[in-house]
Amino acid sequence: MTAPLGWLGIMRLGLVQTAIGAIVVLTTSTINRVMVVELALPAILPGLLVALHYAVQILRPRWGHGSDVGGRLTPWIIGGMTVLALGGFGAAAATALMETAFWPGVLLAAASFAAIGMGVGASGTCLLILLSRRVADARRPAAATVVWVMMIAGFIVTAGLVGHALDPFSTGRLVAVSGLVSALALVITVLAVRGVEGEGTAVVSDRAAPVDTSFRVALREVWDEPQARLFAIFIFVSMIAYSAQDLILEPFAGTVFGFTPGESTRLAGVQNGGVLAGMVLVAVVTTLGGSRAGSLRLWAVGGCLASALALAGLAMSAFAGPGFPLRGTVFALGLANGAYAVAAIGSMMRLVGQGKPERQGVRMGLWGAAQGVAFGLGGLCGAAATDLARHLAATPAAAYAAVFAAEALLFVVAAGLALAVARQATERDRRARKDTDGLLLPNPG
């Protein structure tokens, strides 16, 4: 057996998420802005391209199945990062092409954003499986925090360095900088995963009995697992609630509380600070605390319920007026969201091995697809619901309150689903212990 990874090994794999974040933030933020501002294109164009990047992640189970059949994860992580790097560079090249040849540029951009989604899905799914195999159970919540924070670090560092490198701006400089970022991300990934998987970690090659390698059969088997199916629904519902406020929180602060653009941006920073604090809190408590304090079920359910309470507070704030502690409520929402997110990722890493071991890739891919699609839908649904509510409600405040209340209800539903997943896991463990006890008992005959 290969020894579990230490903290340095976990941080080493976290560099892969840093590399993913570096390319993704360049395409979804910088290139988005260039299309809208410098090229004066309709904002719907980058919006549709980013939506495409999320939509193709529904194929995550297929890529996870590929790693199951091959029995190795490293080639899929490196291959996914290669596709992602090509997609990131292609997106910048497509943006430059739009200056002189609009429709060919749009077609190249569509292909590039689809490649970005496929690369993120393949590398991200297999990275989580590798972490679940190589990280000790007690360290998984902390590992989830490390990996997530390192991805955010990729956002921050890339945004800062690229911001300086792009001045004075030109589309040619954008292509050059994007190419450099993509190449560095690929090199970092290759060095980070080299030798980590080790020998003898293949799932498929060690099986004595032949297994049907059809993707449809594998997906149906995983979907027929009550725990895997219920956990996928939990991820989908909770991630829609998690991401639905992304596009409406700053407009809400400006419309209802009269915040300036700078003030609303700082409010988003308060929320993100709360998310990081929640993640670190769960990582520390689950690593150093006892079995009860370290329960991922407790943090998943508690994070969802606390998120619901914070969203209910935002709904009430729409009618309370300027005296309401908006910043404190937004920080509390971020804190609860961060706790829920780490508990969900840690649960993914823990539950992916429960079931047929040769279906781990499909299982993680199913959950990753639910997360990616829900995250893309959440922002869109939150914005659309706000527009609809503003047509139906008497005031903008009432419209925002209705949307925040709906999000709170979704988090309550998600908490119930998390409890149901925990009951499934408990029942599975009980049956496993019963079967083991039966094997150990002497034969009465």
Side-chain angles (χ1 to χ4, degrees), residues 235-303:
I235 290 294
F236 185 79
V237 172
S238 58
M239 282 306 301
I240 285 183
Y242 179 92
S243 60
Q245 47 76 32
D246 275 358
L247 298 181
I248 66 173
L249 183 59
E250 289 192 53
F252 164 72
T255 302
V256 177
F257 283 83
F259 277 30
T260 66
E263 288 174 330
S264 65
T265 300
R266 288 193 292 273
L267 184 67
V270 169
Q271 182 190 18
N272 290 328
V275 170
L276 287 177
M279 290 178 173
V280 172
L281 173 66
V282 175
V284 171
V285 173
T286 54
T287 302
L288 302 179
S291 58
R292 179 172 292 276
S295 168
L296 288 177
R297 175 182 63 182
L298 172 68
W299 287 104
V301 174

Side-chain angles (χ1 to χ4, degrees), residues 19-21 23-24 27 53 79-89 112 115-120 123 182:
I20 292 174
I23 297 177
V24 169
T27 55
H53 143 260
M81 182 58 70
T82 302
V83 173
L84 174 57
L86 290 173
F89 178 70
S112 299
I116 291 167
M118 288 187 283
V120 169
S123 55
S182 297

